[in-house]
Amino acid sequence: MNKSDTRQKAGLDWGNLPFGYVKTDYNIRYFYKDGSWSGGQLVGDEMISLNIAAPCLHYGQECFEGLKVFETVDGRIVSFRPTENARRLNRSCERIYIPRIPEQIFIEALEKVVKANAKYVPPFGTGASMYIRPLAIGIGARVGLGPADEYAFIMFGTPVGPYYKGGFTPVKALALEDFDRAAPQGVGDCKVGGNYAAGLAGSQYAKKKGYPIVMYLDSAEKKYVDEFGTSNFIGIKGNTYVTPKSNSILPSITNDSLTIIAKDMGLKVERRQISIDELGDFSEAGAVGTAAVITPVNQVDYRGRSFTFGNGDQAGPVLTELYNRLTKIQTGEMEDKHGWLHEIKI
Ligand code: PLP
Ligand code: COI
């Protein structure tokens, strides 16, 4: 018998979950005080109580992560490359003066929170997953600008479906002229909440015009592709996978994994600047990230010009193969030859 057959599951409509928040039974919390992190506390309360002078509220001293947990074809519960998220969280922490969170605390939190909420991990074959959201916040009260003296590290999980309606269905993007997301030497390469607040006006502007996704160009020259609001850009040109090199974009773990899969497929991989004009040379384009997985992009509009990719409503063959390989590795249907899956014993 498959392990998952004996596991009790929450009665959710797994195949139709949006990318939204569903309350689960527990989240886990660690507190930093006097130079060290406490042990983790699993709590059922989904609310937090904060001092009104907490710097995360005033000065945005907050960073977060996003990773996914899957049930595999043989009933294991696995997370995808969680150590990479732990490392990136620490890079974000360092940049905004939050004390490092030891990797073993991150992995322990993940294992405990998934175990405590195992019935919310969507069953294999539904296309859904459990999205894990770790966050670190400055909570010690202060009013003058400076880092907090106390912190919280919290992790929760929630079952999710596709980020963009339709999943692996192409969307059109608007490259923004009048909004920037990140300054060249700012925090664009970190996963801090302020970057996403800065993106809200642009993404709402684009949504009203019928674009579910926005593209940001480099803010210094407005000449090169940086990334999308919630994901990295990839383009296919002949036998080459091309993705931007920029120090103001988030180093995507999905993109890194796809470059490795692309090489396995015999593609060449280039990480370099991509001028907006070069978009005309790509046969396929995609938005890649944990939430977006690979969302094919069939059109990018910029200053009255339209660049088109793929075959209208259909993704191109290279993105389709990349998508199939990535999602099959995540669900154990394809060999995990790079050792990306971290099993969580329930
Ligand atoms: N870029 C931005 C701005 C993001 O928010 C994300 C999502 O985390 C990504 C890229 C993709 O990163 P990852 O693949 O590690 O989820
Ligand atoms: C993710 O893909 O994990 C992200 O954090 C993007 C977010 C806007 C949902």
Side-chain angles (χ1 to χ4, degrees):
M1 188 163 44
N2 190 311
K3 280 186 230 170
S4 67
D5 297 338
T6 54
R7 218 176 274 144
Q8 194 206 343
K9 292 281 184 189
L12 300 176
D13 185 6
W14 303 108
N16 291 307
L17 286 173
F19 191 92
Y21 175 71
V22 173
K23 184 185 181 309
T24 56
D25 294 343
Y26 296 98
N27 57 83
I28 192 161
R29 303 170 185 199
Y30 297 75
F31 295 94
Y32 182 92
K33 198 174 173 178
D34 300 330
S36 62
W37 286 102
S38 69
Q41 300 161 13
L42 273 171
V43 299
D45 192 353
E46 64 187 326
M47 309 298 272
I48 52 176
S49 172
L50 282 181
N51 191 293
I52 52 175
C56 64
L57 299 176
H58 302 250
Y59 302 129
Q61 200 189 15
E62 185 272 352
C63 56
F64 69 101
E65 271 302 323
L67 63 155
K68 278 180 174 168
V69 167
F70 304 88
E71 185 177 279
T72 61
V73 63
D74 57 349
R76 286 172 300 138
I77 302 295
V78 297
S79 61
F80 187 71
R81 305 189 75 184
T83 307
E84 293 303 317
N85 295 90
R87 290 184 183 144
R88 190 172 64 189
L89 182 65
N90 275 324
R91 287 201 299 275
S92 301
C93 282
E94 221 163 85
R95 181 69 171 83
I96 58 169
Y97 263 81
I98 293 182
R100 287 181 67 81
I101 296 151
E103 277 173 29
Q104 85 260 20
I105 287 190
F106 187 99
I107 299 297
E108 174 193 276
L110 172 69
E111 291 180 346
K112 287 192 169 166
V113 89
V114 171
K115 222 172 160 155
N117 296 298
K119 67 178 188 225
Y120 296 98
V121 176
F124 168 78
T126 57
S129 56
M130 176 177 271
Y131 184 71
I132 305 291
R133 178 50 64 82
L135 57 135
I137 51 178
I139 59 172
R142 66 175 300 148
V143 176
L145 179 60
D149 56 4
E150 290 179 30
Y151 294 86
F153 168 54
I154 301 174
M155 195 183 286
F156 67 87
T158 189
V160 296
Y163 195 73
Y164 297 102
K165 261 198 279 180
F168 194 62
T169 305
V171 295
K172 65 174 183 169
L174 180 65
L176 294 172
E177 291 178 52
D178 301 327
F179 298 93
D180 291 323
R181 173 183 173 274
Q185 296 188 68
V187 287
D189 60 340
C190 296
K191 209 163 168 59
V192 300
N195 287 341
Y196 297 81
L200 289 175
S203 62
Q204 291 309 109
Y205 166 84
K207 260 194 194 119
K208 280 196 202 120
K209 291 184 170 290
Y211 298 88
I213 181 167
V214 294
M215 173 182 273
Y216 289 98
L217 304 181
D218 78 287
S219 52
E221 294 186 81
K222 284 279 204 282
K223 212 166 142 187
Y224 301 102
V225 175
D226 247 356
E227 65 174 332
F228 297 107
T230 58
S231 46
N232 277 183
F233 171 88
I234 65 171
I236 305 297
K237 190 181 199 175
N239 195 39
T240 308
Y241 174 117
V242 192
T243 193
K245 187 178 169 75
S246 158
N247 54 16
S248 54
I249 66 176
L250 192 74
S252 156
I253 296 157
T254 312
N255 196 2
D256 178 69
S257 310
L258 288 169
T259 62
I260 295 166
I261 295 173
K263 286 180 196 159
D264 290 345
M265 284 163 54
L267 296 173
K268 254 179 67 188
V269 172
E270 292 176 2
R271 201 180 277 276
R272 58 170 172 78
Q273 286 185 315
I274 299 172
S275 75
I276 186 86
D277 296 322
E278 193 186 348
L279 286 180
D281 299 344
F282 293 108
S283 56
E284 301 178 47
V288 306
T290 298
V293 194
I294 300 179
T295 299
V297 173
N298 58 8
Q299 185 174 327
V300 174
D301 290 348
Y302 183 60
R303 290 198 169 155
R305 294 162 75 188
S306 273
F307 301 94
T308 55
F309 315 95
N311 315 312
D313 287 345
Q314 292 236 293
V318 179
L319 289 197
T320 303
E321 180 66 15
L322 285 165
Y323 178 88
N324 287 340
R325 289 194 186 213
L326 174 68
T327 52
K328 282 187 162 46
I329 292 170
Q330 290 171 330
T331 51
E333 294 166 279
M334 225 176 129
E335 189 196 346
D336 174 28
K337 69 176 185 181
H338 302 290
W340 287 335
L341 301 186
H342 174 92
E343 184 172 355
I344 297 162
K345 301 265 187 216
I346 301 301

